[in-house]
Amino acid sequence: MLRTACDAVPLLRSIRGGCYNSSMRGCHTGITGATNTGVPGDPPQPPLPHASAAPAAAAAVGPAVRAFSTEMEGIVVPATGTLVRSRGQTEMDPSPGTPYEPALHPPTYIVYKKGMELLRDAWYNKGTAFPYSERDRLGLRGLVPPRCLTLETQERRFMEGYQRAYRISENDAKVGGVSNEMIRRWKLLQQLQDRNETLFYKVLINNFVDIAPIIYTPTVGWACVNYHHLYRRPRGMFFSADDMGEMAAMAWNWPQDNVAAIVVTDGSRILGLGDLGVNGLGIPIGKLDLYCAAADLGVNGLGIPIGKLDLYCAAAGFSPAEVLPVVLDVGTNNQQLLDDPFYMGLRKRRITGAAYYDVVDEFVAAVMARWPNAVLQFEDFSMNHALTLLDRYREHHLVFNDDIQGTAATALAGLYGALRVLGKPVTALTEQRIVVVGAGSAGMGVTRMIASGMCKQGLTFEEATQRFWVIDNQGLITNARDADLPAHVRPFARDNTGHEGESLVDVIKRVQPTILLGLAGAGRLFTEEVMSTMNEACTDVRPIVFAMSNPFSKMEVEASDAVRWTNGRVIYASGSPQPPVCYGGANILASQANNMYIFPGIALGAYLGATKTISDLMLMTAAEKLPELITDEDLAQGLVYPQLSDIRQISARIAASVIKAAAEEGKARGKALEKIQMGDEQLMLWLRRKMFEPKYASLVQLPVGVMQ
């Protein structure tokens, strides 16, 4: 007999087999034979029944098995397909449809890599198909987009690109300013960067004017819209709302211990394209590349940090190994992306309220804990969050918002440049009448910065606010909307409520402004009527018109129209690059009011100066320094910004001015303070030597385990 319930286990597993293995107590002698338990004194057991005699099987194996089945309800006897139940009941379970076959290939592979090294292994890499369990145990969390795709979805995405040429489609028409040739060049540059970053940055730095429109605006807008179709390999990190409680650990998945600059976006308002989610990463990467060289998009917003970091590397000389593009995925309200099977971000609506700020707080704490000296730049956050986030962190970390502060400093610098073109001193800023179209974070950031510039030239803040007329989609903003006005707009609302909602043309006729600024991102708002009215209003001085919205399709007026509609009198600048305009037998150059003039130098100065925070004085000093770098030859051609071909020298000089301004406030520390005391020449020499230069260096291989 069976002495214990445990003795029943091999019996239950062996009814079909014919014989127990050596670890079992007895041997089944066959279907018609007897069974011996192998225990001395135990009598032979009755022969085991065939599967067809299943109803009698439980009784035939004896009372011990029945007792055991009471304790272990639901055990299936593989040999007979019998389910032994606790109350002595049995029922038939269908036999397997196919015989068991051992796997020809092992179900698992042993890998000796993790993190980024694993993602660069062409055999083991699964890309966006790594399951969440593997992402955690292999150090991949945050290195690939949040959503886990299947191998079949990856195949479909590849075949889509394989079967169709990357050409401008009707859906891409809204990006504007991008040609099929620009797309071809963008793809070629991406391929070069994937295989040889040193050569990529050498090419970028030495051909900056030609390549900047490819890696940044306007081409980066197209790249962001299509990022989920173009994704090849990870460049940057993805933090999401689903990572709450894990972000501090995730930061350590990034392989670089020294990070000098981080550009982060939540993809909520990429350029003028809206919500692109994680696709917006292209902007931070592009900006960081330029740092080294000089709409809701969900995770598609990753294109924005990528673009910014290209600028960090190219323009400001940050090392490509020390920059980090990030997308903070809190969902997307872009239904087209939510419905797209290839979209790689969270498939949920954007979180709002306190939950949103909890996510951002955890992210900031995580990256600042690992890289406390890094510059953290917020990029393309929506208007309802941008200013709040800037105020929340700017006194605690080396944080700035390029859309608010960078755009504002660039605009002020351009106005100082325009005054130089007119032969007027900077103090003439206080005499200008300025109409601002666009009351978002960028528009009001520009307005406030220009007002601060007026204050520096002698006006009170209240006097400065009276030099502005701000227009939004409802028309002129006055105190008639007082209860509905955001706090950052209220100081610039006009007191005369009788003009509430007045149109742009009517405001120009009544006010006769000298400066017209476009920051609405709503397309061609500066029509022929607007521009001709502006020209007529400026009878004694040339009109100054800045169409600063990006991308090309979102700018308020093109250079050719602005020149023609003002009879060639306009002093013009735009956010996206434009070709010269032939008018009156001469080629009129269009200035580019792009933040790349300002933010690389600000970041470089703040980082090398170890300033801990970025103050308004540092930003103001950068805006004042830029127009001083315009040559007399460029001024004669009506340019209000220096030539981009000198971007590295421009960034170095702005960085020097930022460090000196920080020293005035007692913020500069370390080596920078020492260089200031040695004079401007030594400070500039030190800055240029600290800037990354793409060169091939000798390589040495260290055995595994040897400290680097």
Side-chain angles (χ1 to χ4, degrees), residues 293-614:
D296 187 346
L297 292 188
V299 287
N300 287 28
L302 190 61
I304 299 298
I306 291 173
K308 288 280 185 177
L309 289 171
D310 283 343
L311 294 173
Y312 268 71
C313 299
F318 281 78
S319 169
E322 298 178 355
V323 296
L324 174 60
V326 174
V327 65
L328 191 60
D329 187 6
V330 294
T332 178
N333 294 333
N334 186 328
Q335 192 61 46
Q336 184 177 354
L337 290 178
L338 291 173
D339 294 338
D340 194 315
F342 300 146
Y343 180 62
M344 299 176 293
L346 297 180
R347 299 176 74 85
K348 61 174 66 174
R349 311 294 290 183
R350 284 187 173 271
I351 62 173
T352 58
Y356 174 86
Y357 291 104
D358 288 343
V359 173
V360 184
D361 281 351
E362 183 173 337
F363 162 75
V364 172
V367 295
M368 290 290 96
R370 186 172 182 199
W371 303 291
N373 298 319
V375 177
L376 177 59
Q377 175 181 325
F378 284 85
E379 184 69 27
D380 285 341
F381 282 73
S382 62
M383 178 179 66
N384 57 322
H385 291 139
L387 188 59
T388 301
L389 292 173
L390 176 62
D391 291 340
R392 190 173 182 85
Y393 307 119
R394 67 177 303 188
E395 298 301 327
H396 304 282
H397 304 293
L398 201 56
V399 167
F400 78 105
N401 183 301
D402 187 46
D403 303 300
I404 297 174
Q405 297 166 296
T407 300
T410 300
L412 179 57
L415 294 186
Y416 283 142
L419 292 176
R420 285 197 66 191
V421 171
L422 294 173
K424 295 185 176 183
V426 294
T427 54
L429 182 66
T430 60
E431 304 167 4
Q432 307 307 307
R433 297 180 300 278
I434 304 174
V435 171
V436 180
V437 180
S441 58
M444 297 316 301
V446 166
T447 301
R448 186 171 290 274
M449 175 64 82
I450 298 172
S452 297
M454 291 179 174
C455 293
K456 190 171 183 180
Q457 304 304 326
L459 296 185
T460 65
F461 182 73
E462 290 72 21
E463 291 171 336
T465 60
Q466 295 306 303
R467 311 301 298 179
F468 293 88
W469 288 259
V470 180
I471 295 175
D472 66 3
N473 61 346
Q474 300 178 47
L476 182 66
I477 297 176
T478 73
N479 283 326
R481 309 186 205 176
D482 186 59
D484 299 324
L485 286 176
H488 61 284
V489 178
R490 190 171 292 112
F492 297 93
R494 303 300 299 185
D495 290 330
N496 191 338
T497 58
H499 294 293
E500 168 63 36
E502 194 172 39
S503 71
L504 175 58
V505 170
D506 289 338
V507 170
I508 293 174
K509 288 179 179 179
R510 178 172 60 85
V511 174
Q512 296 190 319
T514 55
I515 297 172
L516 176 61
L517 303 179
L519 296 124
R524 305 298 191 262
L525 297 179
F526 297 173
T527 62
E528 182 174 1
E529 182 184 12
V530 169
M531 294 302 297
S532 59
T533 304
M534 183 73 185
N535 188 43
E536 293 169 2
C538 299
T539 55
D540 300 327
V541 67
R542 294 171 64 186
I544 299 171
V545 177
F546 286 7
M548 299 187 69
S549 295
N550 279 315
F552 179 83
S553 62
K554 300 297 183 180
M555 72 170 58
E556 288 72 19
V557 63
E558 296 178 39
S560 57
D561 290 335
V563 170
R564 187 172 71 256
W565 292 337
T566 59
N567 302 321
R569 297 180 66 233
V570 69
I571 298 175
Y572 174 88
S574 62
S576 292
Q578 294 185 73
V581 178
C582 182
Y583 184 85
N587 275 340
I588 300 175
L589 300 180
S591 296
Q592 185 180 358
N594 196 296
N595 297 8
M596 71 177 73
Y597 281 111
I598 289 288
F599 70 78
I602 291 174
L604 181 64
Y607 177 71
L608 292 180
T611 62
K612 301 297 183 183
T613 60
I614 296 176

Side-chain angles (χ1 to χ4, degrees), residues 107-390:
T108 60
Y109 289 100
I110 297 175
V111 294
Y112 298 94
K113 301 175 181 179
K114 64 183 301 185
M116 197 65 76
E117 186 181 8
L118 178 60
L119 292 174
R120 290 169 179 163
D121 188 308
W123 177 246
Y124 293 116
N125 180 30
K126 302 177 186 178
T128 53
F130 275 107
Y132 299 117
S133 57
E134 287 187 353
R135 296 184 186 198
D136 283 332
R137 68 173 176 261
L138 296 174
L140 299 173
R141 191 165 182 173
L143 299 183
V144 290
R147 185 174 165 226
C148 180
L149 304 183
T150 65
L151 179 61
E152 289 72 25
T153 303
Q154 290 177 316
E155 178 191 13
R156 287 169 54 203
R157 183 174 62 191
F158 172 81
M159 291 307 298
E160 179 191 78
Y162 176 80
Q163 293 170 347
R164 75 179 180 109
Y166 283 107
R167 297 186 178 278
I168 295 297
S169 65
E170 292 182 5
N171 290 334
D172 294 327
K174 65 180 182 180
V175 175
V178 181
S179 66
N180 291 324
E181 176 60 18
M182 295 170 78
I183 293 174
R184 185 191 69 81
R185 295 182 181 186
W186 179 86
K187 291 185 65 182
L188 193 65
L189 286 167
Q190 294 304 302
Q191 293 167 7
L192 175 60
Q193 189 171 22
D194 284 345
R195 68 176 184 266
N196 189 333
E197 283 204 274
T198 302
L199 178 57
F200 170 82
Y201 286 109
K202 181 71 172 179
V203 170
L204 176 56
I205 291 171
N206 289 344
N207 302 274
F208 186 80
V209 175
D210 182 46
I211 295 179
I214 307 300
I215 65 167
Y216 197 50
T217 56
T219 312
V220 72
W222 172 87
C224 288
V225 170
N226 295 280
Y227 180 76
H228 56 302
H229 295 276
L230 300 170
Y231 179 83
R232 304 172 314 283
R233 59 184 295 181
R235 286 197 67 207
M237 291 196 73
F238 302 82
F239 292 82
S240 79
D242 287 353
D243 295 319
M244 288 288 287
E246 301 292 338
M247 294 186 189
M250 287 170 59
W252 288 91
N253 287 340
W254 189 248
Q256 298 298 333
D257 290 329
N258 184 27
V259 168
I262 303 168
V263 177
V264 60
T265 183
D266 70 350
S268 54
R269 54 162 300 276
I270 301 303
L271 299 174
L273 302 173
D275 186 344
L276 293 186
V278 294
N279 286 21
L281 184 62
I283 292 293
I285 290 182
K287 284 219 168 180
L288 288 173
D289 278 348
L290 290 181
Y291 274 28
C292 299
D296 187 346
L297 292 188
V299 287
N300 287 28
L302 190 61
I304 299 298
I306 291 173
K308 288 280 185 177
L309 289 171
D310 283 343
L311 294 173
Y312 268 71
C313 299
F318 281 78
S319 169
E322 298 178 355
V323 296
L324 174 60
V326 174
V327 65
L328 191 60
D329 187 6
V330 294
T332 178
N333 294 333
N334 186 328
Q335 192 61 46
Q336 184 177 354
L337 290 178
L338 291 173
D339 294 338
D340 194 315
F342 300 146
Y343 180 62
M344 299 176 293
L346 297 180
R347 299 176 74 85
K348 61 174 66 174
R349 311 294 290 183
R350 284 187 173 271
I351 62 173
T352 58
Y356 174 86
Y357 291 104
D358 288 343
V359 173
V360 184
D361 281 351
E362 183 173 337
F363 162 75
V364 172
V367 295
M368 290 290 96
R370 186 172 182 199
W371 303 291
N373 298 319
V375 177
L376 177 59
Q377 175 181 325
F378 284 85
E379 184 69 27
D380 285 341
F381 282 73
S382 62
M383 178 179 66
N384 57 322
H385 291 139
L387 188 59
T388 301
L389 292 173
L390 176 62

